[in-house]
Amino acid sequence: MPTAEYVYQLDVASWGWIHIVVGAVALATGVGVLAAQAWACTAGIVLGVLSSIANFAFLPYYPIWSAIILAFNVAVIWALCTLLTTGNGD
């Protein structure tokens, strides 16, 4: 179901695959964060930004859910930045 009034022309199945791939990589990064790896905190921040972009593009399909996930991404990015700056992510 492409949306004619938006710049991108991806159907809902394509967005589903994008979310699955980003989610799988985020899960692997989360294991690294729990193991207190600094690279995982950096990768988590990058994934949070990518997830925010993907959910912003998904706003026309599910606006409430996308807004909730965007707020969650902001909280995760903030927490990972705090973890990196305090030195607990080493």
Side-chain angles (χ1 to χ4, degrees):
M1 243 164 95
T3 305
E5 59 248 18
Y6 293 102
V7 175
Y8 50 87
Q9 295 295 322
L10 296 174
D11 61 0
V12 178
S14 298
W15 283 118
W17 280 108
I18 290 169
H19 283 92
I20 288 173
V21 169
V22 171
V25 173
L27 179 66
T29 302
V31 172
V33 170
L34 290 175
Q37 300 294 318
W39 64 266
C41 289
T42 304
I45 292 167
V46 171
L47 287 172
V49 170
L50 290 175
S51 177
S52 295
I53 292 168
N55 278 288
F56 183 76
F58 206 69
L59 273 170
Y61 299 106
Y62 292 105
I64 295 172
W65 178 250
S66 292
I68 291 169
I69 298 301
L70 283 168
F72 179 72
N73 286 334
V74 169
V76 167
I77 291 168
W78 174 79
L80 290 174
C81 287
T82 302
L83 187 65
L84 276 177
T85 57
T86 59
N88 294 333
D90 294 334

